[in-house]
């Protein structure tokens, strides 16, 4: 049981106040094993982002427990949560992932600086991860000089360079066309298979769902279905 | 925590610095505001400081000089018999003290000045004709005739001469009370007329040779004041201290600000009212800084939300904002100081000619002791204070603004409206 990277029990998240409560999640039991690529699917408003935020230590449940990498997040202070996000979780958001005034390689370095890694090591690691992900030639460009797909791929590089136990991506392809989406998915596939990074993507994009090894369908804050895909679609 | 913060400083500074130039217009506007306020406050303060020295110089050179030695009671109760013991001999001694440019004795008497037709009250100063020019500029204010050519010649203020309707060579009778209550009387000839431009002085003073006054008013060889001019205004306190030390009991040493308290009060009022303006200006600029930083934080809410989400601490983000704000301040304050100090250093050599600035400035300047050519001094206080005040305001503004960070919830900042 303990090789679960994420273990949610009876997770409930209610937004708003007592007068107009919004029940975004209503008692979700949910675990993720190491090395899995889970797609959180479901219509808009079904609670995908909320669940992702709880798992990533960005938010706290109203009820229930969230355990990540053996740590019960309910018990952590704000700064402990901040540390958990820095060291254990990699994030890729729909947009605004990068610091605009830093180049791609500096953006990747930045998170290692936050971790206290020295200048030469972090530059080396940043260059190597960009190279590995086929982004070596855009390292000196700033986000404004990159396409949406390139920005998302740099964000993935930033998210995995610290070797997190978990990579969380919330609608990572929402702003991308389908060709670029496929490139991004190929990248995620590579890091999932070659590096064994556990991935959770929240998406309502069928192409993304098709690449995951597991599909969890949310509806009205509850898990409606949870299926493993034996042979996820291979990248074109 | 601190090890982590230390290691992170490098790229923080990069982010802060580059962010300054993300919106160069705004940065330059704000830094320009800081530069302008710094330069203005430093420059005006320096002009003020310079003009005060000029004012003191002019006012003291007019009649009173820098320092006076008197009988202990004379200043509060100017009676004929409160004379300075051994005045003449003492004058010699004081003139020899270090830092003393010159010393001169004076006796004085209030008297009625009469011609055949008119009479006016006036103050008769008995001066040593040779020494007097060392302590006052009355002799230089000569308008007609000559400055005390002979023992029975009077040197009289222009307005007083006009009031008495007399000219050079006319007779004038001086009547007053002598030292022991006897009648003091002098029959004089108008030898010269002076015009200082200072109304009170020109309307009330008449100078006669010291010996003449002493003889006519029963003073023997006694005097009421010994005037001492210091080498420079900044020496006055030292010289006064030295004099006090040299004299001991039985004398009173007064400095210009005790002799002419209205001058010092005027300076203080001018200084305080200017300070109010300066502070107002600095506060305005501080608000501009707050405004700029508020806009910065507001515009970058998503960026900060992302940084919080990936595990950057709010305190670190604040630190980054502080670096950014301080860099902006340093640019502004540096430029402002450089400009102000440069201009002051230049004017400090060449001086500013007030007389050339406006018509009629001469008369005004004589009345209020504004020197015609003024040399700004370095207002050390303002040079240190105004950049410091703006620096503190910048830090406070950056801190206050960054408190907004506490209200940024990464989840909300990153939520895209679609
Ligand atoms: N901060 C919030 N305040 C109030 N309601 C919220 C907030 N965040 C999300 N919700 C609501 O919770 C529900 C689930 O939202 P979300 O998790 O974003 O769904 P999804 O990501 O699947 O679109 C929605 O009804 C949404 O309006
Ligand atoms: Mg969502």
């Amino acid at each position: 049981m303990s090789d679960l990277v994420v273990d949610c029990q009876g997770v409930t998240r209610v937004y708003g106040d007592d007068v107009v409560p919004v029940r975004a999640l209503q008692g979700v039991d949910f675990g993720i094993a190491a090395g899995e690529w889970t797609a959180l699917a479901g219509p808009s408003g079904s609670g995908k982002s909320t669940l992702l935020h709880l798992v990533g230590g960005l938010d706290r449940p109203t009820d229930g427990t969230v355990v990540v990498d053996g740590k019960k997040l309910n018990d952590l202070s704000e700064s402990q949560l901040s540390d958990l996000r820095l060291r254990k979780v990699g994030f890729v958001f729909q947009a605004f992932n990068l610091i605009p005034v830093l180049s791609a390689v500096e953006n990747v370095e930045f998170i290692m600086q936050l971790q206290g890694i020295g200048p030469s090591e972090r530059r080396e690691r940043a260059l190597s991860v960009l190279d590995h992900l086929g982004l070596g030639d855009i390292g000196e460009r700033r986000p404004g000089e990159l396409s949406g797909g390139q920005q998302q791929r740099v964000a993935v590089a930033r998210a995995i360079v610290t070797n997190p136990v978990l990579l969380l991506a919330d609608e990572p392809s929402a702003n991308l066309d389908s060709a670029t989406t496929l490139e991004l998915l190929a990248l995620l596939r590579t890091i999932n298979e070659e590096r064994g990074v556990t991935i959770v993507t929240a998406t309502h994009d069928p192409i993304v769902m098709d690449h995951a090894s597991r599909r969890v369908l949310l509806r009205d804050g509850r898990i409606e279905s949870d299926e493993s895909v034996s042979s996820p679609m291979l990248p074109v | 925590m601190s090890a982590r913060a230390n290691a992170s400083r490098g790229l923080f500074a990069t982010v802060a610095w580059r962010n300054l130039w993300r919106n160069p217009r705004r940065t330059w506007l704000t830094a320009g505001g800081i530069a302008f306020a710094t330069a203005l406050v430093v420059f005006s303060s320096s002009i003020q400081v310079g003009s005060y020295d000029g004012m003191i110089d002019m006012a003291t050179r007019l009649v009173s000089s820098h320092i006076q030695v008197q009988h202990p009671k004379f200043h509060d109760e100017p009676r004929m018999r409160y004379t300075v013991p051994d005045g003449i001999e003492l004058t010699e001694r004081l003139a020899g003290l270090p830092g003393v440019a010159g010393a001169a004795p004076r006796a004085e008497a209030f008297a009625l000045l009469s011609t055949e037709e008119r009479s006016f009250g006036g103050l008769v100063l008995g001066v040593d004709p040779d020494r007097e020019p060392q302590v006052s500029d009355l002799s230089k204010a000569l308008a007609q005739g000559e400055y005390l050519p002979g023992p029975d010649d009077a040197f009289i203020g222009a307005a007083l001469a006009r009031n008495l309707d007399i000219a050079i060579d006319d007779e004038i009778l001086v009547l007053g009370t002598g030292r022991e209550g006897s009648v003091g009387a002098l029959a004089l000839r108008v030898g010269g007329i002076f015009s200082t431009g200072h109304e009170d002085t020109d309307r009330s003073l008449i100078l006669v040779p010291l010996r003449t006054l002493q003889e006519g008013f029963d003073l023997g060889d006694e005097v009421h004041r010994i005037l001492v001019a210091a080498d420079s205004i900044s020496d006055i306190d030292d010289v006064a201290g030295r004099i006090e030390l040299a004299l001991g009991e039985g004398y009173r040493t007064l400095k210009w600000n005790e002799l002419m308290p209205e001058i010092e009060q005027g300076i203080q009022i001018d200084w305080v009212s200017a300070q109010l303006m300066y502070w107002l200006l600095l506060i305005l600029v501080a608000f501009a800084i707050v405004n700029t930083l508020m806009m910065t934080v507001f515009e970058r809410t998503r960026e900060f939300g992302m940084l919080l989400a990936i595990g950057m601490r709010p305190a670190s983000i604040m630190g980054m904002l502080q670096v950014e704000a301080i860099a902006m301040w340093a640019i502004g304050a540096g430029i402002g100081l450089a400009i102000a100090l440069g201009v002051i250093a230049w004017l400090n050599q060449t001086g500013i000619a007030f007389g050339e600035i406006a018509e009629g400035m001469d008369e005004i300047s004589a009345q209020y002791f504004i020197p015609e050519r003024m040399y700004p001094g370095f207002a050390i206080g303002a040079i240190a204070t105004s950049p410091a005040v703006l620096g503190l305001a910048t830090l406070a503004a950056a801190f206050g603004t960054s408190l907004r960070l506490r209200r940024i919830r990464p989840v909300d900042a990153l939520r895209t409206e679609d």
Side-chain angles (χ1 to χ4, degrees):
Chain A
M1 262 337 277
S2 60
D3 56 347
L4 281 185
V5 176
V6 174
D7 190 1
C8 297
Q9 294 296 328
V11 166
T12 297
R13 179 66 168 98
V14 183
Y15 293 112
D17 47 31
D18 293 345
V19 187
V20 207
V22 179
R23 294 173 201 288
L25 292 176
Q26 317 194 46
V28 169
D29 300 322
F30 172 63
I32 300 173
E36 263 186 329
W37 179 352
T38 307
L40 291 177
S44 188
S46 57
K48 305 182 294 292
S49 294
T50 302
L51 183 54
L52 209 66
H53 293 155
L54 290 172
V55 168
L58 279 166
D59 194 11
R60 293 169 186 278
T62 311
D63 209 352
T65 59
V66 179
V67 176
V68 173
D69 197 34
K71 277 207 180 67
K72 192 174 168 195
L73 303 197
N74 306 56
D75 301 337
L76 300 185
S77 67
E78 282 304 317
S79 54
Q80 284 170 321
L81 278 181
S82 176
D83 243 28
L84 174 108
R85 297 198 297 268
L86 178 62
R87 292 168 195 284
K88 305 266 173 174
V89 186
F91 289 96
V92 177
F93 302 101
Q94 180 177 334
F96 312 111
N97 276 298
L98 305 175
I99 301 170
V101 296
L102 293 184
S103 68
V105 66
E106 285 168 337
N107 262 286
V108 178
E109 275 187 66
F110 192 87
I111 195 157
M112 288 186 277
Q113 277 213 337
L114 292 178
Q115 290 190 345
I117 296 170
S120 49
E121 183 189 343
R122 65 181 183 237
R123 169 127 304 219
E124 202 176 300
R125 277 170 65 179
L127 288 172
S128 118
V129 75
L130 285 176
D131 255 355
H132 187 73
L133 302 187
L135 299 165
D137 48 340
I138 59 164
E140 293 309 318
R141 295 204 212 152
R142 300 219 186 153
E145 301 159 349
L146 298 174
S147 70
Q150 288 170 326
Q151 289 183 36
Q152 290 305 78
R153 286 188 290 159
V154 173
V156 172
R158 196 262 317 271
I160 62 164
V161 73
T162 57
N163 300 318
V165 296
L166 192 60
L167 171 62
L168 301 179
D170 194 359
E171 310 277 7
S173 64
N175 297 340
L176 306 181
D177 60 35
S178 51
T180 323
T181 300
L182 285 174
E183 278 173 23
L184 180 67
L185 292 171
L187 188 67
L188 291 175
R189 160 75 44 80
T190 313
I191 61 173
N192 175 238
E193 288 181 351
E194 289 181 10
R195 296 181 163 229
V197 177
T198 309
I199 302 177
V200 185
T201 46
T203 185
H204 54 257
D205 184 345
I207 313 179
V208 180
M209 291 180 228
D210 287 344
H211 280 72
S213 55
R214 179 183 171 194
R215 265 170 250 166
V216 176
L217 182 64
L218 286 172
R219 191 175 295 279
D220 298 331
R222 289 195 174 86
I223 294 179
E224 192 176 75
S225 70
D226 184 348
E227 48 178 341
S228 289
V229 186
S230 46
S231 57
M233 194 172 161
L234 289 169
V236 193
Chain B
M1 172 70 205
S2 76
R4 185 173 129 173
N6 275 335
S8 316
R9 205 152 283 158
L11 261 186
F12 283 12
T14 309
V15 172
W17 181 253
R18 289 189 191 160
N19 266 307
L20 273 185
W21 308 112
R22 202 154 144 189
N23 193 335
R25 211 174 76 100
R26 186 161 71 202
T27 298
W28 278 122
L29 272 176
T30 315
I34 295 171
F36 175 76
T38 307
L40 194 73
V41 171
V42 168
F43 183 69
S44 323
S45 303
S46 297
I47 295 259
Q48 280 184 293
V49 167
S51 73
Y52 297 156
D53 276 2
M55 273 171 87
I56 296 166
D57 194 46
M58 267 188 86
T60 52
R61 278 202 318 224
L62 182 66
V63 181
S64 307
S65 204
H66 295 152
I67 303 164
Q68 292 186 7
V69 175
Q70 303 176 356
H71 182 283
K73 288 187 174 169
F74 185 77
H75 183 71
D76 303 316
E77 206 184 329
R79 295 197 180 179
M80 283 297 270
R81 59 190 162 86
Y82 294 151
T83 53
V84 186
D86 305 320
I88 302 296
E89 183 201 337
L90 192 58
T91 305
E92 300 285 342
R93 265 176 68 203
L94 296 183
L97 287 180
V100 170
R106 258 190 217 160
E108 61 191 54
F110 279 103
L112 192 67
L113 314 173
S114 307
T115 62
E116 273 166 34
E117 277 107 40
R118 302 183 183 194
S119 295
F120 272 89
L123 179 63
V124 187
L125 299 186
V127 304
D128 177 333
D130 298 330
R131 286 190 168 277
E132 182 64 25
Q134 298 173 15
V135 297
S136 83
D137 278 353
L138 283 169
S139 61
K140 284 192 202 148
L142 178 73
Q144 290 174 50
E146 277 180 84
Y147 161 71
L148 299 177
D152 294 325
D153 290 322
F155 191 49
I156 181 170
L160 186 55
R162 210 165 38 246
N163 288 340
L164 288 165
D165 195 19
I166 49 171
I168 302 294
D169 280 343
D170 285 354
E171 299 261 308
I172 178 170
L173 197 67
V174 176
L175 271 181
T177 312
R179 189 190 193 304
E180 306 301 340
S182 55
V183 174
L186 299 173
L188 302 168
R189 180 191 77 98
V190 177
I193 292 174
F194 64 82
S195 174
T196 61
H198 187 250
E199 258 175 52
D200 282 349
T201 304
D202 291 347
R203 197 174 45 217
S204 60
L205 282 193
I206 170 167
L207 273 66
V208 300
L210 178 60
R211 289 239 52 88
T212 310
L213 185 69
Q214 284 172 333
E215 279 164 19
F217 280 72
D218 259 351
L219 279 163
D221 60 357
E222 294 185 61
V223 301
H224 294 113
R225 308 171 192 258
I226 298 167
L227 289 80
V228 178
D231 281 335
S232 89
I233 287 168
S234 51
D235 291 342
I236 292 177
D237 287 346
D238 286 349
V239 172
R242 246 171 256 147
I243 291 175
E244 262 174 350
L245 218 67
L247 290 182
E249 293 287 306
Y251 299 92
R252 181 165 177 200
T253 306
L254 295 115
K255 289 184 285 191
W256 67 274
N257 52 340
E258 296 162 286
L259 296 163
M260 296 179 289
E262 68 282 359
I263 300 287
E264 189 172 50
Q265 277 162 18
I267 287 173
Q268 274 163 359
I269 289 167
D270 181 76
W271 184 248
V272 168
S273 56
Q275 291 291 312
L276 284 178
M277 292 298 300
Y278 298 157
W279 280 100
L280 211 68
L281 181 68
L282 294 181
I283 288 167
L284 277 176
V285 172
F287 273 110
I289 297 170
V290 172
N291 186 51
T292 299
L293 294 176
M294 288 285 261
M295 277 165 70
T296 301
V297 172
F298 186 73
E299 283 172 2
R300 279 153 68 190
T301 301
R302 282 181 191 287
E303 185 181 329
F304 294 147
M306 181 273 290
L307 291 174
L308 291 169
I310 66 170
M312 190 167 179
R313 296 282 178 85
S316 302
I317 299 178
M318 277 189 200
M320 217 160 64
L321 278 173
Q322 297 271 20
V323 171
E324 202 173 317
I326 284 303
M328 188 170 69
W329 165 80
I331 293 170
I335 291 174
L337 269 186
I339 290 175
L341 294 181
V343 175
I344 296 165
W346 174 56
L347 290 177
N348 189 260
Q349 298 305 311
T350 61
I352 307 170
F354 276 133
E356 290 160 22
I357 291 172
E359 196 76 18
M361 197 63 199
D362 298 357
E363 280 167 37
I364 297 172
S365 69
Q367 287 317 304
Y368 298 101
F369 305 113
I370 299 168
E372 277 171 31
R373 187 163 278 273
M374 200 275 290
Y375 297 86
F378 288 91
I380 305 296
I383 291 167
T385 313
S386 44
V389 166
L390 288 176
L392 285 179
T394 305
L395 278 178
F399 182 74
T401 332
S402 56
L403 287 181
R404 280 181 64 101
L405 288 172
R406 300 217 170 275
R407 277 192 276 153
I408 297 181
R409 294 186 63 245
V411 171
D412 297 334
L414 287 164
R415 199 169 282 275
T416 41
E417 299 88 20
D418 52 9

